[in-house]
Amino acid sequence: MATARKSSTSKKVSWEARYYIRKPDGRLAYKIKKGFSTKSEAQAYGVSHEHESSISSRTTMLQMFELMSQSNNANKTTTDTRRNRLLKYADTIINQPMNRVTKAVLQSWRSDLEVDDRIATTTKNDLIGFVKQIFVFAYNTYDFYDSAKVLKPFKKTLDDSHEMHIITPEDFNKMIAFETDEIIKAILIFMFRTGCRKGEARALYKEDYDSVSKSVHIYKSMRRYESSLKTTKTAGSVRRIPLDDKTIEIIKPLLKRHGKWLFGDTATVCLSALQNHFKANLKAAKLPDMRLHDLRHSHVSLLWANHVPVPEISKRIGHSSPAQTMKTYAHIFDNNQSATLAVLNRF
């Protein structure tokens, strides 16, 4: 934003213009032009020259978001998702010029976001994170003031915690009997019998299966589209999962199919199709509704019920430590304390 100040170096009273211009690399350079006899002349000069830059005080948050995404070479799917969320849930600020989105404006937006019951706390905190990233980028790259420092994340409530649903082997077999698609049937069985996350299972190549060790190598994951394919988020998630005989028999026919994907051909199984088939099968089997991720919880519950040690479970499902597994599945591990009581009753 262009400003005018009294010059401190001149013996007589004069004014200087301070403004930004855009350099060829996209960054802003701070300029000072001295020697104006009046404040209005200096200010007019600064405004006229600053407006030559496409990055100015009039640049909106949305425009800054696009610049940030381009600068970071952000994935298109991620960028589109974030843009849509900002347009929907930050509509009162996203089209405002950056210099008008003050701390007070941001606090007001946060207050409105807090009572918005359309989205969960996690999504609200993601939005706050997006806004903070925009302002940090604007500050570091174009020297805008970082008003978003004032934004604090929301604390999660009990309503934000997903209730874990467990499907027993008997009910799983009842559900899977309704599936007619070979690939979808195979991946559902694979997820139930390995505890893999859906993103890890969908990201598997045929070459990730090792017929010698009878295991699969988990080192990458994906969200919805292939463009989101990336390495797993933590080192602990990289692992080899030994497969039981039934799971191997299920995936053997898939290894002979055309294409690189284990659960697909030239493209991996569609996430929407996988979710829709799973929901439809549950309904057909007259079982309670649940998420695909609950197959992972069911796998942990099955192993624990059959006395598999927690460290072994933790390693199999890709947790960073047994402590993380204990914390995540504390309610499962605490459900049955009959063994503890049996020991104590002997004394």
Short mmCIF file of all heavy atoms in Angstrom, two decimals, residues 76-113:
data_model
loop_
_atom_site.label_atom_id
_atom_site.label_comp_id
_atom_site.label_asym_id
_atom_site.label_seq_id
_atom_site.Cartn_x
_atom_site.Cartn_y
_atom_site.Cartn_z
N LYS A 76 -3.25 -30.35 -8.09
CA LYS A 76 -4.49 -29.75 -8.57
C LYS A 76 -5.70 -30.19 -7.75
O LYS A 76 -6.57 -29.37 -7.42
CB LYS A 76 -4.72 -30.11 -10.05
CG LYS A 76 -5.98 -29.45 -10.64
CD LYS A 76 -6.16 -29.80 -12.11
CE LYS A 76 -7.36 -29.06 -12.71
NZ LYS A 76 -8.62 -29.33 -12.00
N THR A 77 -5.77 -31.46 -7.40
CA THR A 77 -6.90 -31.96 -6.62
C THR A 77 -6.95 -31.28 -5.26
O THR A 77 -8.01 -30.84 -4.81
CB THR A 77 -6.79 -33.49 -6.43
OG1 THR A 77 -6.74 -34.11 -7.71
CG2 THR A 77 -7.99 -34.01 -5.66
N THR A 78 -5.79 -31.17 -4.62
CA THR A 78 -5.73 -30.50 -3.31
C THR A 78 -6.11 -29.04 -3.42
O THR A 78 -6.86 -28.50 -2.60
CB THR A 78 -4.31 -30.62 -2.72
OG1 THR A 78 -3.97 -32.00 -2.60
CG2 THR A 78 -4.23 -29.96 -1.35
N THR A 79 -5.59 -28.37 -4.45
CA THR A 79 -5.89 -26.95 -4.66
C THR A 79 -7.37 -26.73 -4.89
O THR A 79 -7.97 -25.82 -4.30
CB THR A 79 -5.10 -26.40 -5.86
OG1 THR A 79 -3.69 -26.54 -5.61
CG2 THR A 79 -5.42 -24.93 -6.11
N ASP A 80 -7.99 -27.56 -5.72
CA ASP A 80 -9.42 -27.42 -6.01
C ASP A 80 -10.25 -27.64 -4.75
O ASP A 80 -11.23 -26.91 -4.50
CB ASP A 80 -9.85 -28.42 -7.09
CG ASP A 80 -9.28 -28.09 -8.46
OD1 ASP A 80 -8.81 -26.95 -8.63
OD2 ASP A 80 -9.31 -28.97 -9.34
N THR A 81 -9.88 -28.64 -3.96
CA THR A 81 -10.61 -28.93 -2.73
C THR A 81 -10.53 -27.75 -1.76
O THR A 81 -11.53 -27.33 -1.18
CB THR A 81 -10.06 -30.20 -2.05
OG1 THR A 81 -10.20 -31.30 -2.95
CG2 THR A 81 -10.81 -30.50 -0.76
N ARG A 82 -9.33 -27.21 -1.60
CA ARG A 82 -9.14 -26.09 -0.67
C ARG A 82 -9.87 -24.84 -1.16
O ARG A 82 -10.50 -24.13 -0.37
CB ARG A 82 -7.65 -25.80 -0.50
CG ARG A 82 -6.92 -26.87 0.28
CD ARG A 82 -5.46 -26.51 0.50
NE ARG A 82 -4.81 -27.46 1.39
CZ ARG A 82 -3.56 -27.35 1.81
NH1 ARG A 82 -2.82 -26.32 1.40
NH2 ARG A 82 -3.04 -28.25 2.62
N ARG A 83 -9.78 -24.58 -2.47
CA ARG A 83 -10.47 -23.41 -3.02
C ARG A 83 -11.98 -23.51 -2.80
O ARG A 83 -12.62 -22.54 -2.38
CB ARG A 83 -10.17 -23.28 -4.51
CG ARG A 83 -10.81 -22.02 -5.13
CD ARG A 83 -10.75 -22.04 -6.65
NE ARG A 83 -9.40 -22.13 -7.16
CZ ARG A 83 -8.88 -23.22 -7.72
NH1 ARG A 83 -9.64 -24.33 -7.85
NH2 ARG A 83 -7.65 -23.22 -8.17
N ASN A 84 -12.53 -24.66 -3.06
CA ASN A 84 -13.98 -24.84 -2.89
C ASN A 84 -14.40 -24.67 -1.44
O ASN A 84 -15.45 -24.08 -1.16
CB ASN A 84 -14.40 -26.23 -3.39
CG ASN A 84 -14.29 -26.36 -4.90
OD1 ASN A 84 -14.31 -25.35 -5.61
ND2 ASN A 84 -14.15 -27.57 -5.40
N ARG A 85 -13.60 -25.16 -0.53
CA ARG A 85 -13.92 -25.00 0.90
C ARG A 85 -13.85 -23.53 1.32
O ARG A 85 -14.69 -23.05 2.07
CB ARG A 85 -12.97 -25.83 1.76
CG ARG A 85 -13.30 -27.32 1.76
CD ARG A 85 -12.44 -28.07 2.75
NE ARG A 85 -12.80 -29.47 2.81
CZ ARG A 85 -12.21 -30.35 3.59
NH1 ARG A 85 -11.22 -29.98 4.39
NH2 ARG A 85 -12.59 -31.63 3.59
N LEU A 86 -12.83 -22.85 0.84
CA LEU A 86 -12.69 -21.43 1.18
C LEU A 86 -13.85 -20.61 0.62
O LEU A 86 -14.38 -19.72 1.29
CB LEU A 86 -11.35 -20.89 0.66
CG LEU A 86 -10.10 -21.37 1.41
CD1 LEU A 86 -8.85 -21.04 0.62
CD2 LEU A 86 -10.04 -20.78 2.81
N LEU A 87 -14.23 -20.90 -0.61
CA LEU A 87 -15.34 -20.18 -1.23
C LEU A 87 -16.66 -20.44 -0.51
O LEU A 87 -17.53 -19.57 -0.43
CB LEU A 87 -15.47 -20.57 -2.70
CG LEU A 87 -14.38 -20.04 -3.64
CD1 LEU A 87 -14.48 -20.69 -5.01
CD2 LEU A 87 -14.47 -18.52 -3.76
N LYS A 88 -16.81 -21.64 0.04
CA LYS A 88 -18.05 -22.01 0.69
C LYS A 88 -18.12 -21.55 2.14
O LYS A 88 -19.15 -21.05 2.60
CB LYS A 88 -18.24 -23.53 0.62
CG LYS A 88 -19.59 -24.01 1.14
CD LYS A 88 -19.80 -25.49 0.86
CE LYS A 88 -21.19 -25.93 1.30
NZ LYS A 88 -21.42 -27.38 1.00
N TYR A 89 -17.01 -21.71 2.88
CA TYR A 89 -17.05 -21.46 4.32
C TYR A 89 -16.28 -20.21 4.75
O TYR A 89 -16.33 -19.85 5.93
CB TYR A 89 -16.50 -22.68 5.07
CG TYR A 89 -17.28 -23.94 4.79
CD1 TYR A 89 -16.71 -24.99 4.07
CD2 TYR A 89 -18.59 -24.08 5.22
CE1 TYR A 89 -17.42 -26.15 3.81
CE2 TYR A 89 -19.31 -25.24 4.96
CZ TYR A 89 -18.71 -26.28 4.25
OH TYR A 89 -19.43 -27.43 3.99
N ALA A 90 -15.56 -19.57 3.79
CA ALA A 90 -14.88 -18.32 4.12
C ALA A 90 -15.30 -17.25 3.12
O ALA A 90 -14.52 -16.37 2.76
CB ALA A 90 -13.36 -18.52 4.08
N ASP A 91 -16.55 -17.33 2.69
CA ASP A 91 -17.05 -16.44 1.64
C ASP A 91 -17.06 -14.98 2.06
O ASP A 91 -17.01 -14.09 1.21
CB ASP A 91 -18.45 -16.87 1.20
CG ASP A 91 -19.42 -16.97 2.36
OD1 ASP A 91 -19.06 -17.58 3.39
OD2 ASP A 91 -20.55 -16.44 2.26
N THR A 92 -17.12 -14.71 3.35
CA THR A 92 -17.16 -13.31 3.82
C THR A 92 -15.81 -12.63 3.76
O THR A 92 -15.72 -11.41 3.85
CB THR A 92 -17.70 -13.25 5.27
OG1 THR A 92 -16.86 -14.05 6.11
CG2 THR A 92 -19.14 -13.76 5.34
N ILE A 93 -14.74 -13.40 3.62
CA ILE A 93 -13.40 -12.80 3.63
C ILE A 93 -12.58 -13.12 2.38
O ILE A 93 -11.67 -12.37 2.04
CB ILE A 93 -12.59 -13.23 4.87
CG1 ILE A 93 -12.43 -14.77 4.91
CG2 ILE A 93 -13.23 -12.71 6.14
CD1 ILE A 93 -11.50 -15.25 6.02
N ILE A 94 -12.90 -14.20 1.68
CA ILE A 94 -12.01 -14.70 0.64
C ILE A 94 -11.89 -13.75 -0.55
O ILE A 94 -10.86 -13.71 -1.23
CB ILE A 94 -12.46 -16.10 0.15
CG1 ILE A 94 -11.35 -16.78 -0.66
CG2 ILE A 94 -13.75 -16.01 -0.64
CD1 ILE A 94 -10.10 -17.07 0.12
N ASN A 95 -12.92 -12.95 -0.83
CA ASN A 95 -12.86 -12.00 -1.95
C ASN A 95 -12.54 -10.58 -1.50
O ASN A 95 -12.62 -9.65 -2.30
CB ASN A 95 -14.19 -12.03 -2.72
CG ASN A 95 -14.34 -13.32 -3.52
OD1 ASN A 95 -13.45 -13.72 -4.26
ND2 ASN A 95 -15.48 -13.99 -3.35
N GLN A 96 -12.15 -10.44 -0.25
CA GLN A 96 -11.77 -9.13 0.28
C GLN A 96 -10.30 -8.84 -0.04
O GLN A 96 -9.46 -9.76 -0.06
CB GLN A 96 -11.97 -9.08 1.79
CG GLN A 96 -13.40 -9.11 2.25
CD GLN A 96 -14.08 -7.77 2.06
OE1 GLN A 96 -13.43 -6.74 1.91
NE2 GLN A 96 -15.40 -7.79 2.05
N PRO A 97 -9.93 -7.58 -0.29
CA PRO A 97 -8.51 -7.24 -0.44
C PRO A 97 -7.75 -7.62 0.82
O PRO A 97 -8.28 -7.50 1.94
CB PRO A 97 -8.53 -5.71 -0.64
CG PRO A 97 -9.90 -5.43 -1.18
CD PRO A 97 -10.81 -6.40 -0.51
N MET A 98 -6.54 -8.07 0.67
CA MET A 98 -5.76 -8.55 1.80
C MET A 98 -5.64 -7.52 2.92
O MET A 98 -5.73 -7.85 4.09
CB MET A 98 -4.35 -8.94 1.33
CG MET A 98 -4.29 -10.18 0.46
SD MET A 98 -4.59 -11.71 1.37
CE MET A 98 -3.17 -11.76 2.47
N ASN A 99 -5.43 -6.25 2.54
CA ASN A 99 -5.22 -5.23 3.57
C ASN A 99 -6.50 -4.86 4.32
O ASN A 99 -6.46 -4.14 5.31
CB ASN A 99 -4.58 -3.98 2.97
CG ASN A 99 -5.51 -3.26 2.00
OD1 ASN A 99 -6.43 -3.87 1.45
ND2 ASN A 99 -5.25 -1.98 1.78
N ARG A 100 -7.65 -5.36 3.85
CA ARG A 100 -8.91 -5.10 4.55
C ARG A 100 -9.32 -6.26 5.45
O ARG A 100 -10.27 -6.14 6.22
CB ARG A 100 -10.03 -4.80 3.55
CG ARG A 100 -9.83 -3.50 2.79
CD ARG A 100 -11.03 -3.17 1.94
NE ARG A 100 -10.83 -1.94 1.19
CZ ARG A 100 -11.73 -1.44 0.35
NH1 ARG A 100 -12.89 -2.06 0.16
NH2 ARG A 100 -11.46 -0.32 -0.30
N VAL A 101 -8.62 -7.37 5.32
CA VAL A 101 -8.91 -8.52 6.19
C VAL A 101 -8.07 -8.35 7.46
O VAL A 101 -6.98 -8.91 7.60
CB VAL A 101 -8.60 -9.84 5.48
CG1 VAL A 101 -9.05 -11.02 6.34
CG2 VAL A 101 -9.31 -9.91 4.13
N THR A 102 -8.59 -7.58 8.36
CA THR A 102 -7.88 -7.23 9.59
C THR A 102 -8.06 -8.32 10.65
O THR A 102 -8.82 -9.28 10.46
CB THR A 102 -8.41 -5.91 10.14
OG1 THR A 102 -9.81 -6.08 10.46
CG2 THR A 102 -8.26 -4.78 9.12
N LYS A 103 -7.38 -8.15 11.76
CA LYS A 103 -7.54 -9.08 12.87
C LYS A 103 -9.00 -9.16 13.32
O LYS A 103 -9.52 -10.24 13.60
CB LYS A 103 -6.66 -8.65 14.05
CG LYS A 103 -5.17 -8.83 13.82
CD LYS A 103 -4.39 -8.42 15.06
CE LYS A 103 -2.89 -8.63 14.86
NZ LYS A 103 -2.13 -8.22 16.07
N ALA A 104 -9.64 -8.02 13.39
CA ALA A 104 -11.04 -7.98 13.82
C ALA A 104 -11.95 -8.73 12.83
O ALA A 104 -12.86 -9.46 13.24
CB ALA A 104 -11.50 -6.53 13.96
N VAL A 105 -11.67 -8.54 11.55
CA VAL A 105 -12.47 -9.23 10.52
C VAL A 105 -12.27 -10.74 10.63
O VAL A 105 -13.23 -11.52 10.54
CB VAL A 105 -12.07 -8.73 9.12
CG1 VAL A 105 -12.71 -9.60 8.04
CG2 VAL A 105 -12.51 -7.28 8.93
N LEU A 106 -11.03 -11.15 10.84
CA LEU A 106 -10.75 -12.58 10.95
C LEU A 106 -11.36 -13.17 12.21
O LEU A 106 -11.87 -14.30 12.20
CB LEU A 106 -9.23 -12.80 10.95
CG LEU A 106 -8.54 -12.59 9.60
CD1 LEU A 106 -7.03 -12.61 9.76
CD2 LEU A 106 -8.97 -13.65 8.60
N GLN A 107 -11.33 -12.45 13.30
CA GLN A 107 -11.94 -12.94 14.53
C GLN A 107 -13.45 -13.08 14.38
O GLN A 107 -14.06 -14.02 14.89
CB GLN A 107 -11.62 -11.99 15.70
CG GLN A 107 -10.19 -12.06 16.19
CD GLN A 107 -9.91 -13.29 17.05
OE1 GLN A 107 -10.36 -14.39 16.73
NE2 GLN A 107 -9.17 -13.11 18.13
N SER A 108 -14.06 -12.14 13.66
CA SER A 108 -15.50 -12.22 13.39
C SER A 108 -15.82 -13.44 12.54
O SER A 108 -16.80 -14.15 12.79
CB SER A 108 -15.96 -10.94 12.69
OG SER A 108 -17.33 -11.02 12.36
N TRP A 109 -14.98 -13.69 11.52
CA TRP A 109 -15.18 -14.87 10.68
C TRP A 109 -15.03 -16.15 11.50
O TRP A 109 -15.83 -17.08 11.35
CB TRP A 109 -14.17 -14.87 9.53
CG TRP A 109 -14.11 -16.17 8.80
CD1 TRP A 109 -15.05 -16.70 7.97
CD2 TRP A 109 -13.05 -17.14 8.86
NE1 TRP A 109 -14.65 -17.94 7.50
CE2 TRP A 109 -13.41 -18.23 8.03
CE3 TRP A 109 -11.81 -17.19 9.52
CZ2 TRP A 109 -12.61 -19.34 7.87
CZ3 TRP A 109 -11.00 -18.29 9.34
CH2 TRP A 109 -11.40 -19.35 8.53
N ARG A 110 -14.05 -16.17 12.39
CA ARG A 110 -13.85 -17.35 13.23
C ARG A 110 -15.05 -17.60 14.13
O ARG A 110 -15.45 -18.76 14.35
CB ARG A 110 -12.58 -17.19 14.07
CG ARG A 110 -12.23 -18.42 14.90
CD ARG A 110 -11.06 -18.15 15.82
NE ARG A 110 -10.70 -19.33 16.59
CZ ARG A 110 -11.32 -19.75 17.68
NH1 ARG A 110 -12.37 -19.07 18.15
NH2 ARG A 110 -10.92 -20.84 18.32
N SER A 111 -15.63 -16.53 14.65
CA SER A 111 -16.81 -16.67 15.51
C SER A 111 -17.99 -17.27 14.74
O SER A 111 -18.73 -18.11 15.26
CB SER A 111 -17.21 -15.31 16.10
OG SER A 111 -16.18 -14.80 16.92
N ASP A 112 -18.16 -16.82 13.50
CA ASP A 112 -19.23 -17.38 12.66
C ASP A 112 -18.95 -18.84 12.33
O ASP A 112 -19.86 -19.67 12.29
CB ASP A 112 -19.36 -16.58 11.35
CG ASP A 112 -19.87 -15.17 11.58
OD1 ASP A 112 -20.50 -14.93 12.63
OD2 ASP A 112 -19.63 -14.30 10.71
N LEU A 113 -17.68 -19.14 12.10
CA LEU A 113 -17.29 -20.51 11.77
C LEU A 113 -17.54 -21.45 12.96
O LEU A 113 -17.94 -22.60 12.77
CB LEU A 113 -15.81 -20.54 11.39
CG LEU A 113 -15.26 -21.84 10.79
CD1 LEU A 113 -15.92 -22.14 9.45
CD2 LEU A 113 -13.74 -21.74 10.62
#
